[in-house]
Amino acid sequence: MTDRAGVPMTLAALRALARAKLRAVGLAEDHAEAVAETMVAGERDGCASHGIYRLLVAAASVRAGVVVPDAVPVVSRPGKALVRVDGGGGFAQLAFARGLPVLVAAAREHGMAALALNHVVHFAALWPEVEALAREGLVALACTPSHAWVAPAGGTQPVFGTNPIAFGWPRPAGDPFVFDFATSAVARGEIELHRRAGLPVPEEWGYDAEGAPTTDAKAVLDGAMRTFGGHKGSALAAMVELLAGPLIGDLTSRESLALDDGRGGSPVGGELIVAIDPAGFLGEATAAHLARAEAMFAAIEAQGARLPSARRYAARAHSLSEGVVVPAALHAEIMAIGAAA
């Protein structure tokens, strides 16, 4: 059923549609399943800029030749507590899935472990990854560069990517504590959604190509985004470049954009994920100290403040029972992918 507002879909139907369209543009079955799951998770949790809209982004990257559609991730162990997955130029989702059980086992054995994803294509948020680790009882931190779209504080020309940072904390009962944010003032996908809707953006989001402040979404996309929090976001963006670039032998955001060479594909590079087993530090006292963390969460919520991810979990509960509504125009574009293939 289609109406002016959108197309109601169950999550199962949305998942099947995403997989079919990804296969239609040539993505191998295992990649299509992993990539589709990330998109469905975004839509399910009310994150439109990281939801099924990203199907258009992923399909464009495959068609542009940015992605190796049938890449086979290779897992290795450069150190006892270090895991590396060479994604072979494929999307990051399958590489992470292959590295996840190895990372979990290493963190439990050594108390702390790190996973480097190399040679992968990124288009999605990082919270599904740290949430997966937190549900295994681990504390997780993840970061990745992207394309050079963001100007450093005090400048107006792109150097950094949106460079997200995500963190997950396991909770004894209920959903993990998770946050995920770009070090840019806003996610690039949010600006793109404004452009598609013909809406202006706040002036503090970015500059045009000449370095002047602008409220025109396309001008920001063609110019430079700003970091959040001025010099603080700029420093965090630089940290992400270093941790998930040179430290793991992968690309910076400027190098990723240069490699793209005007194709307009998603960023290519690496990702660093650190996992810590609380029991490695705390042993038999683990439960008592996790309870202290719960006291902090309770103090936050008691005064009416919202924990990060609470909105997503609420949206998830609704979507699991009621499904989602895909905007009609977006649904039409998605359906055209199969028709054009």
Side-chain angles (χ1 to χ4, degrees):
M1 173 182 172
T2 303
D3 57 30
R4 293 180 63 188
V7 181
M9 300 186 72
T10 65
L11 294 180
L14 187 68
R15 182 176 292 108
L17 176 63
R19 289 179 177 177
K21 297 305 180 182
L22 289 167
R23 290 195 302 269
V25 295
L27 208 60
E29 180 68 31
D30 51 0
H31 279 282
E33 289 184 8
V35 169
E37 205 58 40
T38 293
M39 296 171 180
V40 171
E43 200 70 31
R44 176 200 66 198
D45 287 9
C47 303
S49 65
H50 287 287
I52 201 63
Y53 152 72
R54 295 281 171 156
L55 184 54
L56 304 179
V57 177
S61 291
V62 175
R63 286 173 169 164
V66 173
V67 181
V68 177
D70 58 352
V72 178
V74 177
V75 181
S76 62
R77 296 289 295 272
K80 291 182 178 179
L82 300 177
V83 183
R84 184 190 300 276
V85 181
D86 188 326
F91 282 118
Q93 282 72 23
L94 185 61
F96 173 74
R98 297 287 168 81
L100 176 61
V102 187
L103 175 63
V104 170
R108 287 176 176 158
E109 179 180 358
H110 302 289
M112 183 175 184
L115 167 64
L117 302 182
N118 288 113
H119 309 136
V120 293
V121 179
H122 288 278
F123 71 86
L126 298 178
W127 60 259
E129 298 173 8
V130 295
E131 182 178 328
L133 285 162
R135 291 191 183 279
E136 292 284 348
L138 304 175
V139 176
L141 179 69
C143 61
T144 183
S146 56
H147 280 332
W149 289 317
V150 182
T156 59
Q157 300 303 308
V159 174
F160 303 136
T162 53
N163 292 13
I165 298 171
F167 175 79
W169 178 273
R171 301 185 67 180
D175 295 310
F177 172 82
V178 172
F179 70 74
D180 179 354
F181 59 78
T183 53
S184 54
V186 67
R188 190 169 180 85
E190 190 66 31
I191 301 177
E192 174 62 19
L193 290 179
H194 277 69
R195 184 199 67 78
R196 288 166 58 86
L199 299 173
V201 298
E203 190 174 278
E204 61 268 22
W205 281 11
Y207 307 97
D208 64 20
E210 283 68 50
T214 180
T215 60
D216 183 283
K218 186 177 186 306
V220 174
L221 294 172
D222 293 338
M225 301 165 63
R226 299 194 196 196
T227 58
F228 84 89
H231 69 281
K232 295 180 181 180
S234 190
L236 288 173
M239 179 190 73
V240 171
E241 293 283 339
L242 297 172
L243 288 177
L247 179 64
I248 62 172
D250 224 307
L251 303 181
T252 64
S253 295
R254 295 181 70 197
E255 292 167 337
S256 174
L257 189 60
L259 182 66
D260 185 75
D261 196 25
R263 290 178 292 179
S266 295
V268 177
E271 178 181 343
L272 178 67
I273 306 164
V274 178
I276 304 171
D277 183 1
F281 283 114
L282 303 170
E284 294 181 357
T286 299
H289 289 293
L290 289 181
R292 294 175 57 234
E294 291 301 305
M296 184 193 73
F297 295 141
I300 293 171
E301 294 181 309
Q303 55 188 291
R306 176 176 61 84
L307 291 177
S309 71
R311 182 200 59 79
R312 289 195 298 98
Y313 291 140
R316 181 181 304 183
H318 181 268
S319 299
L320 287 171
S321 62
E322 304 297 328
V324 297
V325 177
V326 179
L330 175 58
H331 185 268
E333 288 186 77
I334 290 172
M335 297 308 293
I337 292 174

